[in-house]
């Protein structure tokens, strides 16, 4: 009887929430500082589809070792125009970089890791799309990323099953490519496809529930 | 051969005689769209203004890759189609 009263009066609580999904606060970035100083050779143009970047210097002449990590640093930005410039600048530089991208890959890992560790939905979606573009942008880039999987994949493990269970409803985020769970699966498949022979085993080590494509 | 013709027309400073709007998308319309985004009528005007013989294009698709605008900034275009169907009717086709 005493034990029953004891249990009734003093409820046993579970452990406190660890906050795996909780968003982290953003810190001011070097990208923002350089942009406000006018160090970037870019200008904003408005066209019928939205916005476009006009480059003041030809991309082929840019020093990728200096600019590409700075643009990747801007992935943590969430406000206009910083977020737009970072995203579009990275897209243009990867599209036209060719063999200049591969030597810079090690310097991109820390900005990618910082962007993913913010645990912000929008930032994660953009970063995953950038990663997909990165592995196809030039030869050997996918394989160059393999040693860094243990730095960038752990956060993806947390969000991998973040798929909305809407029953037989329509999930428009899938169409718009904003569904995190699906995006992660797409990104991991791109890593496996372009990462060479050792890619799958390294991905599986970090994300045990991943299935080969 | 088309680029040779436009090169000759550019050197001669020929101006278009008539204009109409595009009705359906095609590779040519895509390139015209890209030139007009950068502020030129078409390839002929671009070569006239910039005094160049060739325009940088994507080898895989033949679409325009890079253009220099009148303020000397550069516009870069995607390898794949950029001109959406709803933008096609805004593309102007100049006849010489």
């Amino acid at each position: 009887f005493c034990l029953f009263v004891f249990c009734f009066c003093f409820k046993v609580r579970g452990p406190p929430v660890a906050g795996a999904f909780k968003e982290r606060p953003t810190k001011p970035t070097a990208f923002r500082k350089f942009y406000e100083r006018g160090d970037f050779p870019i200008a904003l143009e408005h066209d019928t589809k939205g916005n476009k970047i006009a480059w003041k210097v030809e991309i082929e002449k840019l020093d990728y070792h200096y600019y590409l990590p700075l643009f990747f640093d801007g992935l943590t930005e969430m406000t206009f125009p910083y977020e737009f410039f970072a995203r579009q600048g990275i897209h243009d530089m990867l599209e036209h970089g060719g063999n200049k991208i591969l030597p810079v890959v090690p310097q991109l890992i820390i900005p990618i890791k910082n962007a993913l560790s913010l645990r912000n939905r929008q930032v994660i979606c953009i970063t995953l799309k950038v990663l997909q573009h990165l592995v196809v942008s030039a030869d050997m880039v996918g394989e160059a990323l393999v040693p860094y999987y243990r730095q960038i994949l752990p956060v993806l493990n947390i969000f991998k099953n973040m798929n909305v269970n809407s029953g037989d409803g329509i999930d428009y985020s899938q169409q718009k490519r904003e569904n995190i769970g699906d995006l992660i699966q797409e990104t991991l498949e791109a890593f496996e496809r372009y990462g060479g022979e050792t890619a799958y085993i390294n991905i599986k080590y970090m994300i045990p529930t991943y299935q080969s494509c | 051969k088309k680029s040779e013709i436009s090169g000759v027309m550019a050197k001669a400073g020929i101006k278009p005689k008539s204009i109409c709007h595009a009705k359906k998308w095609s590779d040519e319309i895509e390139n015209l769209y890209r030139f007009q985004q950068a502020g030129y009528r078409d390839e002929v005007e671009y070569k006239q203004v910039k005094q160049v013989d060739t325009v940088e294009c994507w080898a895989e698709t033949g679409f325009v890759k890079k253009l220099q605008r009148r303020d000397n900034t550069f516009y870069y275009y995607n390898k794949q189609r950029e001109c959406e169907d709803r933008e096609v009717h805004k593309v102007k086709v100049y006849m010489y």
Side-chain angles (χ1 to χ4, degrees), chain A residues 22-165:
Chain A
K22 195 169 163 191
E23 279 185 33
R24 272 57 171 169
T26 47
K27 288 180 282 192
T29 58
F31 177 82
R32 191 181 277 233
K33 190 172 87 182
F34 281 74
Y35 174 77
E36 273 158 13
R37 255 173 28 181
D39 276 1
F40 290 137
I42 48 180
L44 183 61
E45 292 299 322
H46 299 279
D47 71 355
T48 48
K49 271 207 302 208
N51 297 317
K52 209 171 172 69
I53 285 188
W55 290 84
K56 294 180 194 162
V57 171
E58 292 180 61
I59 294 181
E60 295 88 359
K61 295 189 178 141
L62 281 180
D63 177 9
Y64 270 57
H65 280 278
Y66 177 72
Y67 284 106
L68 197 57
L70 271 177
F71 274 92
F72 268 76
D73 201 40
L75 281 174
T76 52
E77 295 288 349
M78 292 185 252
T79 50
F80 184 83
Y82 309 103
E83 159 286 310
F84 166 73
F85 274 123
R87 186 169 32 95
Q88 191 64 34
I90 290 174
H91 171 86
D92 286 348
M93 288 183 81
L94 290 182
E95 194 81 1
H96 299 89
N99 57 4
K100 289 165 90 167
I101 301 172
L102 182 61
V104 191
V105 165
Q107 294 165 261
L108 305 177
I109 302 302
I110 301 275
I112 292 172
K113 189 174 150 184
N114 290 340
L116 290 173
S117 63
L118 278 185
R119 286 143 164 93
N120 174 287
R121 261 187 94 96
Q122 180 194 342
V123 170
I124 289 184
C125 286
I126 293 172
T127 309
L128 289 172
K129 289 176 195 168
V130 160
L131 282 171
Q132 287 180 28
H133 192 183
L134 182 63
V135 294
V136 302
S137 60
D139 289 335
M140 304 293 287
V141 171
E143 295 179 33
L145 272 179
V146 173
Y148 303 104
Y149 282 174
R150 64 187 139 88
Q151 301 203 42
I152 53 181
L153 296 190
V155 173
L156 302 189
N157 211 357
I158 299 172
F159 287 92
K160 189 171 178 285
N161 291 321
M162 203 165 175
N163 280 312
V164 174
N165 183 356

Side-chain angles (χ1 to χ4, degrees), chain A residues 43 45-49 52-60 88 91-92 95-96, chain B residues 33 37 56 58 65-66 69 71-79 82 84 87 90:
Chain A
E45 292 299 322
H46 299 279
D47 71 355
T48 48
K49 271 207 302 208
K52 209 171 172 69
I53 285 188
W55 290 84
K56 294 180 194 162
V57 171
E58 292 180 61
I59 294 181
E60 295 88 359
Q88 191 64 34
H91 171 86
D92 286 348
E95 194 81 1
H96 299 89
Chain B
Y33 172 77
Q37 281 247 297
E56 224 175 295
W58 288 103
K65 186 175 176 181
K66 174 174 117 186
R69 296 173 65 212
D71 60 6
N72 290 333
T73 55
F74 293 91
Y75 257 14
Y76 287 86
Y77 297 95
N78 290 339
K79 203 184 297 188
E82 279 196 15
E84 291 168 22
E87 309 277 325
K90 293 181 194 165

Side-chain angles (χ1 to χ4, degrees), chain B residues 1-48:
Chain B
K1 202 179 178 185
K2 269 190 184 157
S3 61
E4 280 171 24
I5 296 172
S6 63
V8 166
M9 285 163 82
K11 283 194 180 124
I14 296 177
K15 289 204 161 34
K17 293 207 170 99
S18 64
I19 167 182
C20 69
H21 285 262
K23 295 205 174 55
K24 210 174 133 188
W25 186 86
S26 68
D27 286 359
E28 272 184 36
I29 301 297
E30 175 68 30
N31 280 333
L32 276 172
Y33 172 77
R34 292 176 184 210
F35 279 110
Q36 285 165 24
Q37 281 247 297
Y40 302 96
R41 279 195 303 264
D42 50 19
E43 190 173 348
V44 172
E45 192 187 14
Y46 180 73
K47 285 179 175 171
Q48 259 173 20

